[in-house]
Amino acid sequence: GHSLYSQFLEANNHNPVIDTMYITRVKGEFEGDTFFPEYDKDRWLGTSFIYQKADKENPYDLLFETYKFKK
């Protein structure tokens, strides 16, 4: 996971393979050994942020984020 995401984000250092990121943040404490890589936040513009509060179908609060690469 991590190395694949890194390859798409860091291609040519300034021109990633992707131009849109869809990130879902899950509010909670979880164990894990693979994480989404750091990225240059100055190169990405947040275009959408949708918050979903936990409910009977989803036990965790969620934040759906969309980012576009600044060309």
Side-chain angles (χ1 to χ4, degrees):
H2 181 272
S3 65
L4 181 63
Y5 292 133
S6 293
Q7 289 174 29
F8 280 95
L9 286 170
E10 298 172 3
N12 300 324
N13 290 328
H14 297 291
N15 295 309
V17 174
I18 60 170
D19 63 3
T20 305
M21 288 194 293
Y22 301 97
I23 299 174
T24 301
R25 298 191 189 271
V26 181
K27 186 172 182 173
E29 295 291 325
F30 306 97
E31 289 189 34
D33 61 357
T34 303
F35 301 93
F36 194 78
E38 292 293 321
Y39 58 93
D40 185 351
K41 292 175 176 55
D42 291 334
R43 305 284 310 197
W44 293 88
L45 174 66
T47 59
S48 176
F49 300 89
I50 300 171
Y51 177 75
Q52 179 178 311
K53 189 148 181 69
D55 58 26
K56 64 181 179 180
E57 294 181 23
N58 301 294
Y60 301 102
D61 291 349
L62 303 171
L63 179 59
F64 301 98
E65 304 174 0
T66 304
Y67 295 89
K68 295 283 187 181
F69 185 70
K70 298 177 186 177
K71 298 184 181 195

